[in-house]
Amino acid sequence: MERVTQLEYDEERAADMHAVAEARDQAALTRLFDYYVPKIRSFCLAAQPGANLMADDIAQEVMIRIWNKAHTYKPESASLNTWVFTLARNARIDYLRKNSRHQSDIDPEFLWQNVVDENADPFKDAQQKRDQERIQQGLDKLPKDQKQVLAKVYLEGKTHKEAAEELSLPLGTIKSRVRLALHKLTIYVKR
């Protein structure tokens, strides 16, 4: 059995790269895939043991880049291995930047505890508080049946039909009570 030297192996891979670049030869890409993917996966797993999915994604990305950029490979500038592993290193960096999940010991709740709203308008806040008080006073003056219907529709988010079913009342009665309650509430709040 004839033994293939490393130089012959390198020449075969260089020929495959040339075939991919010039003729878009898929068989040559398959040979490059079979040779480089296990090495790229090992390269990735050496840096992050157990990250099999990441290693697979990066190996796939490198092979896509080889297919798309084969014409940019210059054998006089670097060996094919150097070129491919430069692609792998760059793909790994891109992957980590894109998918990084930064961990921090900072509690986000703590960050927002003492934040002062720079756009706060004390006059608007006072107006809103006064309006809330008037609305509450107006609600307290409503008859119990109207207050109950408003609570179902506006506080519990029920539809008129759902409120009618829950209260065992006709739909028309619910609509009338809502309309009357809102009208009275408007009068109470304007005073």
Side-chain angles (χ1 to χ4, degrees):
M1 181 177 257
E2 202 175 298
R3 197 173 148 149
V4 178
T5 66
Q6 186 63 38
L7 180 61
E8 291 171 324
Y9 224 72
D10 290 345
E11 288 173 358
E12 287 176 22
R13 285 192 305 279
D16 285 339
M17 180 62 76
H18 182 73
V20 169
E22 298 300 317
R24 307 296 277 172
D25 186 338
Q26 291 182 2
L29 181 66
T30 301
R31 288 189 295 275
L32 289 171
F33 182 94
D34 291 342
Y35 181 79
Y36 279 111
V37 166
K39 294 180 181 336
I40 294 167
R41 286 188 87 259
S42 295
F43 167 75
C44 293
L45 291 170
Q48 281 190 278
N52 291 316
L53 290 175
M54 178 191 75
D56 291 340
D57 287 348
I58 292 170
Q60 179 180 355
E61 179 61 28
V62 170
M63 295 313 297
I64 291 169
R65 289 181 185 186
I66 288 172
W67 180 255
N68 291 330
K69 297 182 176 198
H71 65 281
T72 65
Y73 169 63
K74 304 287 183 238
E76 60 276 0
S77 298
S79 74
L80 183 57
N81 284 339
T82 302
W83 188 76
V84 169
F85 280 96
T86 299
L87 290 176
R89 187 200 70 200
N90 293 342
R92 185 174 175 276
I93 290 168
D94 292 345
Y95 180 91
L96 291 173
R97 283 181 182 157
K98 179 180 170 191
N99 297 301
S100 69
R101 291 179 177 86
H102 301 286
Q103 294 181 350
S104 174
D105 294 332
I106 298 172
D107 181 9
E109 294 298 319
F110 174 75
L111 288 175
W112 300 108
Q113 275 180 343
N114 300 320
V115 174
V116 176
D117 185 3
E118 295 173 3
N119 296 324
D121 182 354
F123 297 108
K124 186 176 179 181
D125 291 343
Q127 178 70 36
Q128 186 176 6
K129 185 173 181 173
R130 192 174 74 222
D131 289 345
Q132 287 173 343
E133 289 170 357
R134 283 183 172 171
I135 291 169
Q136 186 59 51
Q137 290 168 356
L139 285 171
D140 291 341
K141 292 178 184 177
L142 288 177
K144 183 181 176 190
D145 58 343
Q146 292 175 7
K147 193 176 188 178
Q148 182 183 38
V149 171
L150 280 185
K152 289 280 180 203
V153 173
Y154 289 102
L155 298 179
E156 295 178 25
K158 309 279 183 182
T159 64
H160 289 172
K161 183 177 179 182
E162 290 170 335
E165 289 172 0
E166 282 188 27
L167 298 172
S168 301
L169 293 170
L171 182 58
T173 302
I174 297 294
K175 289 182 178 188
S176 295
R177 287 182 183 176
V178 167
R179 190 173 68 264
L180 283 169
L182 290 175
H183 179 70
K184 287 179 183 177
L185 197 56
T186 303
I187 294 169
Y188 296 147
V189 171
K190 285 184 179 179
R191 289 184 184 167

